[in-house]
């Protein structure tokens, strides 16, 4: 398996892991776009939203509950935070292992859409 995020799951590649449960791992983005930039990934290799199956419902839910837990632990709700999933090439997805970006730690996290 040559997927870089699968290697973070198996700890073959180091990452600053800040949260882990049976379904997901979360770690600091190597190239942060905000003071706090964390990626949440499923432990299972799912390429994108398009590849989520009904059997993955608990995994999808875990990504959101992990986001909430991390935001709470980092005191993010005071400022608000942004969740981004780039889905597919046109959206700028570079790593084809599903991941949720959490951006936070500053007041202005950017416009809703870059036009
Ligand atoms: P995306 O464009 O949505 O596919 O985002 C991929 C993200 O993964 C980018 O923000 C990268 O900075 C980040 N990234 C790539 N490799 C690593 C790595 N080894 N550890 C942490 N973050 C990474
Ligand atoms: Zn993978």
């Amino acid at each position: 398996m040559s997927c870089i995020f699968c290697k973070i799951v198996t700890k073959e590649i180091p990452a600053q892991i800040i949260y882990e449960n049976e379904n997901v791992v979360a770690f600091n983005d190597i190239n942060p776009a905000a003071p706090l930039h964390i990626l949440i990934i499923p432990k299972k290799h799912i390429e994108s939203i398009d590849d989520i199956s009904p059997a993955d419902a608990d995994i999808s839910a875990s990504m959101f509950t992990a986001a909430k837990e991390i935001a709470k632990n980092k005191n993010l709700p005071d400022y608000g935070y942004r969740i981004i999933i780039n889905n597919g090439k046109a959206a700028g997805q570079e790593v084809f292992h599903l991941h949720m970006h959490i951006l936070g730690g500053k007041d202005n996290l950017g416009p809703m859409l870059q036009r």
Side-chain angles (χ1 to χ4, degrees):
M1 174 63 78
S2 62
C3 171
I4 190 166
F5 284 179
C6 281
K7 287 182 176 165
I8 287 176
V9 172
T10 58
K11 316 274 194 323
E12 287 168 73
I13 288 179
Q16 291 180 295
I17 293 176
I18 51 111
Y19 181 94
E20 185 166 2
N21 68 25
E22 62 171 338
N23 290 323
V24 305
V25 177
F27 50 93
N28 286 328
D29 195 293
I30 206 165
N31 184 20
L36 186 134
H37 187 169
I38 289 167
L39 301 176
I40 302 174
I41 68 171
K43 287 185 171 175
K44 177 181 174 184
H45 181 84
I46 299 171
E47 286 197 9
S48 73
I49 289 175
D50 301 335
D51 300 294
I52 296 174
S53 75
D56 298 324
D58 57 337
I59 295 175
S60 319
S62 280
M63 291 179 74
F64 280 98
T65 51
K68 177 190 162 181
E69 274 306 304
I70 291 164
K72 195 171 73 180
N73 292 344
K74 300 282 185 186
N75 293 320
L76 289 188
D78 291 349
Y79 296 92
Y81 55 93
R82 193 168 183 200
I83 300 283
I84 297 171
I85 298 176
N86 295 321
N87 195 67
K89 271 190 191 147
Q93 184 175 4
E94 289 176 352
V95 178
F96 284 81
H97 179 131
L98 180 64
H99 52 280
M100 183 184 266
H101 298 254
I102 307 180
L103 298 168
K106 62 177 186 176
D107 285 342
N108 184 353
L109 289 163
M112 188 163 149
L113 291 170
Q114 307 285 353
R115 294 179 199 272

